[in-house]
Amino acid sequence: MLLSRFPRVSLAHLPTPMEHLPRLSKHLDGPEIYVKRDDCTGLGTGGNKTRKLEFLIADAQMKKANVVITQGAVQSNHARQTAAAAAKVGMQCELIFEKRVTDASDAYLKSGNVFLDQLFGANIREVEKGSDMNEEMNKVANELTQKGSTPYIIPGGGSNPIGALGYVDCVLEIITQANQQNIEIDCIVHATGSAGTQAGLIVGAKAMNSNIPILGIGVNVSQKLQEEKVYQLACETAEYMGLPGIIDREDVVANCDYVGKGYGISTKSMNAAILTLARYEGLLFDPVYSGKGLAGMIDLIKKDYFQGQKNIIFIHTGGSVGLFAYHDLLKTDCS
């Protein structure tokens, strides 16, 4: 599984730490929990998208692009990391935000990721909820091309076969660290949304014959839709790597019971999970992705989903800067 043949630019602080969470593990009285700290990738306060952007930005450079275009929700972690990556390599950045959250607070619209996007010099455009985001990106690309620029479109979440390579590589990193720490991994758990992270993890695990199950905790759509999206991207990624046919449908597992009322809308279990990790381990998680992923993992441990398993890895996908955008909705006491 050689990734060196694919163009890549160095953006992340790698390898990210893999840390034991002893107090949380004791509190939940389940398997030992480890956290893969992809909130520590470094770029623009870090996050999982930086791994994907190492391959995507390299592809953009190879195609002589001078401006990158991407899309997401107003508080998109992916948009923030893309803006930072563009600034680092000297490209312009165009961000298209879909107003997915109705009745959004002023903090949501202006602070957190949005404030950092502006610091990184990105140009922000907004479209209404339900817009065809691929069509919107193509419109911007055509506009920029007519003005003499060479645009490069990065899909939402950086989730295509090129971006997914970042998490193919991450599996190798996790297994190497587990071997160094003498840990036998029983399951890898993470929040799954745009599908690139889970697809890459699945392809990497299968390519290495690791037999490590990957469990995605969905943050935005139903199980059927999420698993189909991940499966299609995993198959495309494997084929892109020259490994067609290695992915089976049963490799893709997403639990979408913790989405709540929808993407970016806080839940009581998410709030409790964020508070638990802050108070027990001094770690900060975001209210959209990693927070809901944590809520799912904690509840599943309580329901003995991992019964018989000794060690599980939770991938911290970053995004804690988003806490500032949700501060008026998050409770900070245990009452």
Side-chain angles (χ1 to χ4, degrees), residues 295-310:
M297 181 190 72
I298 289 171
D299 188 57
L300 290 171
I301 289 174
K302 292 178 178 178
K303 291 177 177 177
D304 290 331
Y305 176 90
F306 302 101
Q307 188 173 18
Q309 298 187 16
K310 295 182 179 179

Side-chain angles (χ1 to χ4, degrees), residues 44-67:
T45 76
N48 64 320
K49 310 305 182 185
T50 301
R51 289 186 186 270
K52 302 177 184 182
L53 287 163
E54 289 201 326
F55 293 93
L56 290 161
I57 293 294
D59 190 55
Q61 289 179 325
M62 186 177 68
K63 293 175 179 174
K64 308 299 182 183
N66 57 9
V67 55

Side-chain angles (χ1 to χ4, degrees), residues 273-293:
I274 287 177
L275 185 59
T276 298
L277 268 292
R279 299 291 167 84
Y280 276 85
E281 297 289 354
L283 291 177
L284 299 175
F285 289 78
D286 90 300
V288 177
Y289 285 94
S290 61
K292 286 187 177 180

Side-chain angles (χ1 to χ4, degrees), residues 138-161:
N138 286 329
K139 286 180 183 178
V140 174
N142 290 334
E143 172 193 321
L144 294 172
T145 299
Q146 291 175 6
K147 293 180 179 179
S149 296
T150 305
Y152 181 89
I153 293 176
I154 295 176
S159 294
N160 63 10

Side-chain angles (χ1 to χ4, degrees), residues 19-34:
E19 303 173 356
H20 184 217
L21 302 182
R23 297 194 67 230
L24 180 66
S25 300
K26 183 178 180 180
H27 172 66
L28 295 175
D29 192 27
E32 295 301 310
I33 304 167
Y34 295 78

Side-chain angles (χ1 to χ4, degrees), residues 52-130:
K52 302 177 184 182
L53 287 163
E54 289 201 326
F55 293 93
L56 290 161
I57 293 294
D59 190 55
Q61 289 179 325
M62 186 177 68
K63 293 175 179 174
K64 308 299 182 183
N66 57 9
V67 55
V68 293
I69 304 166
T70 198
Q71 58 92 358
V74 173
Q75 282 293 330
S76 168
N77 295 317
H78 163 67
R80 181 243 310 154
Q81 289 166 81
T82 302
K88 185 174 179 64
V89 301
M91 290 183 178
Q92 297 175 28
C93 181
E94 296 280 339
L95 303 178
I96 306 172
F97 289 156
E98 180 185 3
K99 300 176 184 177
R100 296 179 192 168
V101 177
T102 55
D103 300 321
S105 67
D106 194 57
Y108 179 86
L109 295 172
K110 295 181 180 179
S111 70
N113 285 298
V114 177
F115 175 63
L116 295 185
D117 295 335
Q118 294 168 337
L119 283 182
F120 293 132
N123 183 46
I124 298 174
R125 306 167 187 242
E126 292 186 343
V127 297
E128 295 303 316
K129 183 177 181 179

